[in-house]
Amino acid sequence: MGFGDLKSAAGLRVLNDFLADKSYIEGYSVGSVSIAVLPLLRASVLLKGNLCKVRWLSHQSYLLFSFSLPGVKKALGKYGPADVEDTTGATDSKDDDDIDLFGSDDEEESEEAKRLREERLAQYESKKSKKPAVVAKSSLLLDVKPWDDETDMAKLEECVRSIQADGLVWGSSKLVPVGYGIKKLQIQCVVEDDKVGTDMLEERITAFEDYVQSMDVAAFNKI
């Protein structure tokens, strides 16, 4: 009895066929057979992609974390089809202790697989670097207030629009009454957030102190 070499694809196919109509290798519950087969699960997982299914692995995946199961461990040759000889030869306790169930799979990776993985990573990085960066922009509505009703509002607006900066685009404007014959300039602009800030706009606009009393942000919307 046995499954052949469970560390090979051929042995796993024997195990796969044996489990086609079974939930457990022996009996109707998890027991000593799990202790015998558990150290070989890592090899099974690595080769599972070559099989149509490994039913026991998907049905009992929790065995990867079950280190204390009932029953007495027996040799793998005590399980499996009667006409198949066990050739795994890795069931003594020393080998069990040496197997790292959660170790790295790097040693199992072929040179071709490494090359393909590195090529795909390089292609991904190349596409990512060519993708244009998203520029964060905001739409601002500014209230620019004059000193009094005698302020030349046309000149005030001319001064405001004379402010030029990378990432700043002026839009439409209008005069809005605020009382006592005084009107404020309400002007729109679009700014690139990383290049133009509201503090900079306020500093530049209020620098025209002959015309401008103050500046406020009436509306601020992300684009």
Side-chain angles (χ1 to χ4, degrees), residues 135-137 165-168 191-198 200-201:
V135 178
K137 294 183 179 181
D166 184 24
L168 170 64
V191 300
E192 292 184 22
D193 296 346
D194 290 340
K195 296 179 180 179
V196 180
T198 56
M200 183 273 274
L201 287 173

Side-chain angles (χ1 to χ4, degrees), residues 2 6 10 19 50-51 61 64 68 71 93 97-98 103 113 116 120 124 162 179 187:
L6 280 178
L19 292 170
N50 297 323
L51 304 174
S61 59
L64 282 170
S68 178
S93 59
D97 293 338
D98 290 342
L116 288 173
R120 287 169 184 165
Y124 171 76
S162 70
I187 186 168

Side-chain angles (χ1 to χ4, degrees), residues 80-93:
D83 58 347
V84 178
E85 181 182 356
D86 172 41
T87 59
T88 301
T91 59
D92 59 77
S93 59

Side-chain angles (χ1 to χ4, degrees), residues 41-166:
L41 275 176
R42 182 165 177 263
S44 298
V45 172
L46 291 173
L47 293 170
K48 186 172 67 171
N50 297 323
L51 304 174
C52 60
K53 67 177 182 303
V54 179
R55 190 168 181 268
W56 192 59
L57 288 179
S58 60
H59 186 67
Q60 297 176 234
S61 59
Y62 64 85
L63 287 176
L64 282 170
F65 305 96
S66 302
F67 295 96
S68 178
L69 297 173
V72 178
K73 176 180 174 180
K74 295 186 289 186
L76 285 177
K78 300 296 183 180
Y79 311 101
D83 58 347
V84 178
E85 181 182 356
D86 172 41
T87 59
T88 301
T91 59
D92 59 77
S93 59
K94 183 179 182 302
D95 288 344
D96 291 349
D97 293 338
D98 290 342
I99 293 177
D100 181 6
L101 295 178
F102 305 99
S104 172
D105 293 340
D106 290 346
E107 68 273 17
E108 308 289 346
E109 188 177 25
S110 67
E111 290 300 321
E112 179 66 14
K114 286 182 181 179
R115 185 184 66 78
L116 288 173
R117 177 169 56 82
E118 290 171 359
E119 283 183 0
R120 287 169 184 165
L121 285 173
Q123 291 172 0
Y124 171 76
E125 291 297 334
S126 176
K127 289 180 181 178
K128 187 172 155 184
S129 63
K130 293 177 182 178
K131 187 177 180 179
V134 177
V135 178
K137 294 183 179 181
S138 298
S139 174
L140 307 179
L141 182 63
L142 307 179
D143 282 346
V144 184
K145 298 176 182 176
W147 287 106
D148 51 39
D149 60 342
E150 296 183 356
T151 300
D152 187 341
M153 296 304 294
K155 184 64 177 178
L156 184 150
E157 180 174 353
E158 181 184 334
C159 291
V160 171
R161 290 185 180 275
S162 70
I163 299 172
Q164 300 295 316
D166 184 24

Side-chain angles (χ1 to χ4, degrees), residues 19 23 26 29 75 113 152 167 180 183 186-187 197 204 212-213 218:
L19 292 170
S23 294
E26 182 183 56
S29 63
D152 187 341
Y180 304 102
K183 296 180 180 179
Q186 199 166 74
I187 186 168
R204 297 279 297 273
V212 178
Q213 179 197 104

